Amino acid sequence: MRRPLRALSTVLIVAGTLMLADAVLTLAWQEPVSAVYATIVQGRLGDDLERLENRAPGANDLAALSQLAGERRRMAFLARRLRADAEEGAAVGRVRIERIGADFVLVDGTNDDDLRKGPGIYDDVPFPGAPGTTAIAGHRTTYAAPFRDIDELERGDEIVVEMPYGAFTYEVERTEIVAPTEVSVVQRRKYDRLVLSACHPLYSAAQRIVVFARLIGSQARGAARL
């Protein structure tokens, strides 16, 4: 009996040590197992995004683009087309936030499966380039924790969202803590803006931290430069 009991105690000690290490890493950094998963998925999404960026518009879209004067109008057209055609959970762009070292592929959608892949653009909001408020959600402690440090963003910090048809630069205006049911944060204003949201505080879903940023510049990419 001594040998099985000794083996069992060893297993329990190792399991307890691993659980403790996981808890310490989660508190100090992020949950490590889901972080590995998200990193692998982000790599695949990066390949998907590259293919999307290199995909040529169809003949009908090219004909419509040729009738639109100005890059801004062409970006708006392509934003609406991608919004309509994007599949749930598919790669649609990239968000870069230099202040907090964030660089992640964006997906379409914000359900649980979508956010396990990376930051997601809310349903029923326009993609960058189309008029209105674009809203993006992301995790803070799991699945690579893309928005872990958004509470460190300050007024004037820049957020860049790259879409296949354009790169959009936003300047942070303010941060608010709101209830999870607060939907007014995504309402349209008189100017185009970006909203980032995540659970707050860390390790809790009791509230939401929301970062508001105003569009200050855009640069056409791909077919929008026709």
Side-chain angles (χ1 to χ4, degrees):
M1 289 296 292
R2 291 181 180 179
R3 191 171 295 175
L5 287 174
R6 187 179 297 117
L8 177 60
S9 64
T10 300
V11 170
L12 292 174
I13 291 171
V14 171
T17 302
L18 290 175
M19 291 177 64
L20 178 61
D22 182 86
V24 171
L25 282 172
T26 300
L27 289 171
W29 175 54
Q30 56 180 284
E31 200 286 311
V33 177
S34 64
V36 172
Y37 168 83
T39 299
I40 295 172
V41 172
Q42 278 281 304
R44 295 172 183 167
L45 288 172
D47 295 337
D48 294 343
L49 180 60
E50 184 176 357
R51 285 190 287 269
L52 178 63
E53 292 174 338
N54 292 330
R55 189 172 68 194
N60 291 337
D61 286 347
L62 284 174
L65 288 166
S66 67
Q67 302 300 312
L68 297 174
E71 292 181 343
R72 182 171 296 181
R73 294 183 65 190
R74 290 195 290 272
M75 286 190 290
F77 172 82
L78 291 168
R80 295 187 182 97
R81 288 292 293 157
L82 184 57
R83 168 85 279 182
D85 296 342
E87 296 182 2
E88 182 81 18
V92 293
R94 182 177 292 274
V95 58
R96 303 182 192 271
I97 313 174
E98 183 177 356
R99 171 83 174 186
I100 60 174
D103 185 342
F104 292 90
V105 176
L106 288 170
V107 299
D108 179 34
T110 57
N111 65 34
D112 290 342
D113 289 338
D114 300 332
L115 294 183
R116 291 189 183 103
K117 301 176 181 179
I121 300 181
Y122 278 84
D123 295 329
D124 302 322
V125 302
F127 279 2
T133 298
T134 299
I136 300 173
H139 284 301
R140 295 190 72 191
T141 57
T142 56
Y143 297 98
F147 287 173
R148 181 181 181 91
D149 298 322
I150 64 170
D151 58 324
E152 297 179 8
L153 291 175
E154 299 176 354
R155 183 179 179 86
D157 287 340
E158 291 188 353
I159 302 168
V160 177
V161 180
E162 297 176 355
M163 305 296 286
Y165 49 83
F168 304 88
T169 301
Y170 300 86
E171 186 176 85
V172 173
E173 294 184 305
R174 70 186 190 279
T175 298
E176 291 184 10
I177 307 300
V178 302
T181 55
E182 183 59 66
V183 296
S184 64
V185 296
V186 299
Q187 289 180 350
R188 185 173 178 176
R189 294 294 186 266
K190 294 181 179 179
Y191 55 89
D192 297 337
R193 64 176 183 165
L194 174 70
V195 170
L196 306 181
S197 70
C199 292
H200 182 83
L202 287 174
Y203 321 111
S204 171
Q207 296 175 303
R208 297 290 183 270
I209 180 170
V210 182
V211 176
F212 298 89
R214 183 176 188 139
L215 181 67
I216 60 171
S218 59
Q219 183 175 1
R221 303 176 70 207
R225 297 184 297 175
L226 181 69

